[in-house]
Amino acid sequence: MKPAPFQYHRARDVDGAARLLAELGDDAKVIAGGQSLVAMMNYRLARPRHLVDIGGLRELDRMHRDADGGLRIGALTTHHTVETDPAGALGAGFEVLKRAMTWIGHLPIRTRGTVGGSMAHGDATAEWCLLAMTLGAEFVARGPRGERTIPAGDFFLGYYTTALDPDELLVEIVFPRPAPHAALTEFAERRGDFALVAAAVDLDMEDGEVRSGRVALGGVASAAVRVPEAEAVLADGGSFEACASAAAEAVEPPADASGSTHYRKELVRTLVRHACEEAMSS
């Protein structure tokens, strides 16, 4: 199929993009890599009357560590840039981001798709959304009223819905601290497909022992979610098996043609355990 008619606008800078979004209102969509939006437009699942192209804003294509050890990723950084880390910007403690990129589609998608685009799209199974929830990322948005920072826990609101206002542009994602013992894993019917269920874990370890941790799931709700019941097991010194069981019991995934609620709960149980084991050995 072909998309519904739309008008194309090319932004020259970040402030110009924000002004365009403010002028065009709810009928406008931002496009960068276009790996999700274009497909939805072709199937008429999305029908924006205006596209604001930010693909040429090179100032948003960056990745660097800050003085506090955190990592800042510009919204136009591609998945492949993170995967290959050509400038060595990731450094120690963020290897989980590189490893997670191999789960995203196929190489052409990773080469064109952007970190900010994936986050702003808000797919409940997207690897970046799950990483943001697990590692406590913060989102920097810019609009006519200036710049604001949104915690990951407040950013993802539901199916393809985020806290970005219609006239705001996502410019940067901040991972505030290294996560040396973190892992992401998932299950899809075919390699490169959207995950049926995905799990990510970030363990706090001391002297080889797990003291606490964060557990997040994708594909079990309308957005990526943290699972405090599973995290409580880790904080109490429980086993990875007990943590995985707590995660499975805490969620009620939707059923569809790809799997029942029970099937997805069993996937949660298996994937959380595997993610914990991988995170501990990293």
Side-chain angles (χ1 to χ4, degrees), residues 66-135:
D66 59 28
D68 296 328
L71 176 68
R72 295 178 174 270
I73 302 180
L76 289 186
T77 305
T78 66
H79 313 310
H80 188 59
T81 296
V82 177
E83 180 180 13
T84 57
D85 190 20
L90 288 178
F94 288 103
E95 293 85 356
V96 63
L97 302 184
K98 293 184 65 172
R99 295 194 300 266
M101 294 303 95
T102 61
W103 291 105
I104 298 178
H106 303 285
L107 181 59
I109 291 173
R110 298 197 296 273
T111 302
R112 288 286 301 166
T114 63
V115 177
S118 179
M119 299 287 201
H121 188 58
D123 191 307
T125 64
E127 291 79 7
W128 275 114
C129 300
L130 191 56
L131 289 167
M133 290 296 293
T134 311
L135 304 185

Side-chain angles (χ1 to χ4, degrees), residues 13-18 21 30 32 54 57-64 71-77 114-117 119-120 138-144 146-150 155 164 167-174:
D13 52 41
V14 173
D15 290 336
L21 292 174
V30 173
I54 64 168
L57 306 186
R58 291 299 97 198
E59 65 266 36
L60 299 184
D61 182 4
R62 62 181 185 273
M63 186 167 62
H64 68 277
L71 176 68
R72 295 178 174 270
I73 302 180
L76 289 186
T77 305
T114 63
V115 177
M119 299 287 201
E138 298 173 339
F139 298 87
V140 181
R142 192 181 303 173
E147 202 165 84
R148 66 175 177 134
T149 300
I150 310 166
F155 188 78
L164 288 172
D167 58 359
E168 283 186 316
L169 185 69
L170 178 61
V171 296
E172 188 175 55
I173 302 93
V174 182

Side-chain angles (χ1 to χ4, degrees), residues 6 8 10 22 53 97 101 121 129 134 177 218 222 238 269:
F6 63 88
Y8 173 84
R10 186 170 180 84
D53 187 352
L97 302 184
M101 294 303 95
H121 188 58
C129 300
T134 311
R177 53 171 184 76
S222 61
R269 196 185 311 274

Side-chain angles (χ1 to χ4, degrees), residues 205-239:
M205 299 187 63
E206 184 178 339
D207 299 326
E209 299 290 330
V210 177
R211 301 302 182 187
S212 62
R214 284 150 296 282
V215 179
L217 298 172
V220 301
S222 61
V225 293
R226 288 269 297 272
V227 191
E229 295 86 349
E231 296 173 353
V233 172
L234 293 175
D236 289 341
S239 67

